[in-house]
């Protein structure tokens, strides 16, 4: 069967936060854009569910904030941790110079569905679900589109520009031959849900104990839980009775004694492998990577979605005019990398430092835990909590949508 053929200004591989936000912005600016998402819906679990103050600011600039905040969410004003027996507030978002001094915890599928619904208003925007990009089409050393497998046949898309927003295992970046620098990560995360009762604590919180780290995100009637393990240890754990794991969780979250019994076994626990890397070049003629496809983020600080959205905003600001006029050059693409690379480098450097100096040490510690100096300072001087709040909530270089794009 002949593939179905499309011709667009811009084809985006991947409908995650980076791809959907860029698709929405370009569609709104009148650029003919097609987003290809390999899954049939956005209803997948185990994505970060954090909508940061900077993303809320972007929603405000688009005139969508009020409607967006009508979707069910929890407002988190501060991030707390318990280190051994010592409680510490790590970040306080209330004082940020932003409209919303909180992180909105919302299932990511609600956020992506919202963007998809708003983007569908623009005739220049198109979204194909169950469309997996399998390879780039290259001509004379330039990327000129993609081939994709769809539920009802193959697609061939010709595009002035192809965007790789297809996440950490990006097909686009592999096929474009873009070189990757790996930074490594000492841990993986086991991800699962526990029922939450009215008697449970309300705080979203990280608990650090000798050899163990447990994150519990308050999602209303359930806890979204992350149990951090040394990299590669999952198979070992699976060989032990599941009861050992239940007991380890209860030790860190005694309030979960009853709900942890509702976990039926390892099938209720998902392994999320952690990886931190960055492309040396984010682009080639005809192709640009953004979000995790350009720089896979560690879960430390929960900032990957923030960076993905900011890449999308920066890319839209630079590209909407040249794409409309059919004159995108490699120079435009390099400008986006130049703008976004420094904030990415700094954020990843901080994540890697926390991974090495805190997480790796906690995971091998057998004696009593003492909070590191930085956390002791945060506990002692509350004003200092504004620094992590800024890095997590707004990012190193928050992006704003150009007025001209909003009005176009
Ligand atoms: C354990 C863990 C927890 C995390 N928690 C948080 C958190 O709480 N907050 C936070 O901000 N960040 C968190 N992160 C980081 C965050 O998940 C990423 O940085 C963020 O999702 C990147 O967004 P993206 O749009 O670039 O990529 P993704 O979210 O990975 O989206 C890529 C999309 O492309 C699609 N796709 C993939 N391949 C193809 C293909 N070939 N064709 C078509 N579509 C394709 C995928 O289905 C997906 O929808 C966490 C990461 C990990 C590992």
């Amino acid at each position: 069967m002949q593939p179905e053929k499309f011709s667009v200004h811009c084809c985006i591989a991947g409908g995650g936060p980076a791809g959907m936000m860029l698709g929405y912005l370009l569609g709104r600016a009148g650029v003919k854009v097609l987003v290809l998402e390999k899954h049939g819906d956005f209803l997948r679990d185990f994505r970060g569910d954090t909508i940061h103050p900077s993303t809320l600011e972007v929603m405000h600039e688009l005139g969508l904030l009020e409607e967006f905040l009508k979707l069910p969410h929890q407002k988190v004003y501060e991030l707390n941790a318990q280190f051994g027996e010592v409680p510490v507030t790590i970040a306080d978002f209330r004082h940020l110079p932003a409209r919303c001094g909180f992180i909105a915890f919302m299932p990511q599928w609600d956020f992506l569905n919202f963007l998809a619904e708003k983007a569908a208003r623009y005739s220049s925007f198109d979204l194909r679900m169950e469309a997996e990009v399998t390879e780039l089409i290259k001509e004379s050393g330039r990327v000129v589109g993609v081939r994709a497998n769809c539920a009802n046949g193959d697609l061939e898309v010709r595009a002035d520009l192809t965007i790789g927003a297809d996440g950490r295992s990006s097909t686009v970046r592999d096929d474009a031959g873009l070189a990757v620098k790996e930074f490594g990560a000492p841990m993986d995360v086991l991800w699962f849900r526990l029922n939450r009762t009215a008697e449970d604590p309300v705080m979203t919180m990280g608990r650090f104990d000798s050899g163990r780290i447990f994150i519990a995100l308050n999602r209303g009637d359930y806890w979204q839980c992350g149990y951090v393990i040394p990299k590669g240890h999952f198979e070992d754990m699976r060989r032990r009775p599941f009861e050992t794991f239940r007991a380890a969780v209860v030790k860190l979250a005694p309030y979960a004694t009853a709900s942890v019994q509702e976990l039926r076994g390892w099938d209720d626990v998902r392994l999320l492998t952690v990886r931190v890397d960055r492309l040396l070049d984010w682009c080639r003629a005809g192709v640009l990577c953004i979000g995790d496809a350009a720089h896979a983020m560690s879960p430390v600080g929960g900032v990957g979605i923030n960076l993905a959205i900011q890449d999308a905003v920066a890319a839209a600001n630079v590209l909407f005019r040249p794409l409309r006029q059919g004159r995108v050059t490699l120079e435009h693409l390099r400008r986006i990398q130049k703008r976004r690379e420094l904030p990415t480098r700094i954020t990843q450097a901080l994540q890697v430092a926390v991974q090495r100096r805190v997480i790796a040490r906690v995971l091998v510690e057998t004696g009593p835990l003492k909070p590191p100096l930085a956390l002791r300072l945060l506990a002692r001087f509350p004003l200092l909590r504004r620094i992590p709040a800024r890095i997590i909530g707004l990012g190193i270089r928050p992006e704003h949508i150009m007025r001209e794009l909003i009005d176009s």
Side-chain angles (χ1 to χ4, degrees), residues 1-6 128 146 148 150 152-157:
M1 203 169 80
Q2 284 293 308
E4 193 182 351
K5 295 194 176 174
F6 278 91
R128 283 291 183 105
V146 302
C150 286
N152 45 2
D154 292 342
L155 277 187
E156 189 177 300
V157 185

Side-chain angles (χ1 to χ4, degrees), residues 5-53:
K5 295 194 176 174
F6 278 91
S7 181
V8 290
H9 293 130
C10 180
C11 176
I12 300 175
M20 286 307 296
M21 179 54 86
L22 182 58
Y24 169 82
L25 293 172
L26 293 180
R28 179 168 169 150
V31 172
K32 209 170 164 206
V33 58
L34 171 64
V35 180
L36 302 174
E37 165 54 47
K38 74 175 175 185
H39 288 97
D41 54 41
F42 299 121
L43 280 174
R44 275 165 300 125
D45 213 338
F46 318 115
R47 296 165 168 262
D49 288 346
T50 46
I51 313 291
H52 301 80

Side-chain angles (χ1 to χ4, degrees), residues 231-264:
K231 188 161 263 319
H233 277 213
F234 188 49
E235 280 315 309
D236 262 6
M237 288 179 76
R238 279 175 69 99
R239 277 188 223 111
R240 287 184 228 139
F242 190 67
E243 197 44 52
T244 317
F245 177 66
R246 284 200 187 104
V249 172
V250 168
K251 184 147 191 280
L252 296 171
Y255 52 85
T257 307
S259 55
V260 87
Q261 297 305 323
E262 290 160 25
L263 290 175
R264 288 161 303 175

Side-chain angles (χ1 to χ4, degrees), residues 10 22 25 56 67 76 79 88 133 185 195 199 204-205 217 227 236 249 280 299 333 340 343 345 361 376 386 391 406:
C10 180
L22 182 58
L25 293 172
L56 295 168
E67 193 182 340
V76 170
L79 291 184
V88 191
V133 171
N195 282 328
E199 292 78 45
T204 278
M205 125 107 110
L217 310 176
Y227 187 90
D236 262 6
V249 172
L280 301 183
L333 308 183
R340 294 303 310 155
R345 274 174 180 259
R361 287 186 190 171
R376 295 204 302 273
R386 296 184 188 192
I391 295 169
I406 295 171

Side-chain angles (χ1 to χ4, degrees), residues 212-228:
R212 304 181 169 121
I213 302 172
F214 181 68
I215 315 288
L217 310 176
N218 177 353
R219 307 306 314 279
D221 55 356
Y222 69 93
W223 292 105
Q224 181 64 61
C225 303
Y227 187 90
V228 182

Side-chain angles (χ1 to χ4, degrees), residues 104-399:
F105 274 78
M106 178 187 292
Q108 199 181 106
W109 53 82
D110 282 352
F111 175 51
L112 298 177
N113 276 327
F114 182 87
L115 285 178
E117 189 193 306
K118 295 297 163 204
R121 288 185 192 162
Y122 303 108
S123 58
S124 46
F125 173 88
D126 199 0
L127 168 65
R128 283 291 183 105
M129 303 301 284
E130 286 188 271
E132 177 167 7
V133 171
T134 50
E135 61 173 328
L136 298 173
I137 306 172
K138 297 168 200 151
E139 282 174 11
S140 316
R142 185 187 167 81
V143 173
V144 295
V146 302
R147 292 198 178 83
N149 285 336
C150 286
N152 45 2
D154 292 342
L155 277 187
E156 189 177 300
V157 185
R158 296 258 154 183
D160 297 337
L161 176 63
T162 297
I163 300 280
D166 47 349
R168 299 183 295 156
S169 312
S170 170
T171 302
V172 171
R173 83 178 187 185
D174 284 354
D175 201 15
L178 297 168
V180 187
K181 186 171 179 189
E182 301 271 352
F183 299 95
M187 80 285 199
D188 288 324
V189 181
L190 302 182
W191 206 238
F192 54 96
R193 282 181 184 198
L194 293 177
N195 282 328
R196 196 175 158 270
T197 66
E199 292 78 45
D200 285 1
V202 288
M203 258 192 299
T204 278
M205 125 107 110
R207 176 88 206 264
F208 295 73
D209 207 354
S210 305
R212 304 181 169 121
I213 302 172
F214 181 68
I215 315 288
L217 310 176
N218 177 353
R219 307 306 314 279
D221 55 356
Y222 69 93
W223 292 105
Q224 181 64 61
C225 303
Y227 187 90
V228 182
I229 59 169
K231 188 161 263 319
H233 277 213
F234 188 49
E235 280 315 309
D236 262 6
M237 288 179 76
R238 279 175 69 99
R239 277 188 223 111
R240 287 184 228 139
F242 190 67
E243 197 44 52
T244 317
F245 177 66
R246 284 200 187 104
V249 172
V250 168
K251 184 147 191 280
L252 296 171
Y255 52 85
T257 307
S259 55
V260 87
Q261 297 305 323
E262 290 160 25
L263 290 175
R264 288 161 303 175
W266 289 115
D267 287 348
D268 286 344
V269 177
R270 282 279 292 272
L271 170 72
L272 299 182
T273 46
V274 178
R275 171 170 161 187
V276 188
D277 66 30
R278 190 170 63 241
L279 295 181
L280 301 183
D281 286 313
W282 298 16
C283 55
R284 284 260 153 95
V287 64
L288 167 74
C289 289
I290 61 170
D292 266 24
H295 45 77
M297 302 303 292
S298 162
V300 170
V303 291
I305 296 168
N306 206 2
L307 260 79
I309 297 286
Q310 294 184 18
D311 284 2
V313 172
N317 283 340
V318 172
L319 293 171
F320 78 97
R321 265 175 306 206
L323 275 170
R324 271 196 319 221
Q325 295 159 359
R327 51 169 195 85
V328 176
T329 63
L330 191 51
E331 200 35 53
H332 290 114
L333 308 183
R334 289 204 180 112
R335 213 188 295 163
I336 297 162
Q337 173 173 357
K338 195 163 171 221
R339 185 164 178 88
R340 294 303 310 155
E341 189 165 3
L342 184 64
T344 306
R345 274 174 180 259
I346 296 174
T347 313
Q348 287 184 321
L350 291 169
Q351 289 188 320
V352 169
V354 173
Q355 285 182 174
R356 285 191 188 139
R357 295 200 187 148
V358 182
I359 296 176
R361 287 186 190 171
V362 170
L363 289 177
V364 295
E365 183 61 67
T366 47
L369 262 196
K370 196 169 145 212
L373 177 65
L375 288 191
R376 295 204 302 273
L377 289 171
L378 288 173
R380 181 117 188 249
F381 303 106
L383 262 183
L384 291 181
R385 296 170 195 162
R386 296 184 188 192
I387 301 169
R390 199 170 176 117
I391 295 169
I392 295 169
L394 297 182
I396 303 292
R397 177 181 273 163
E399 299 287 347

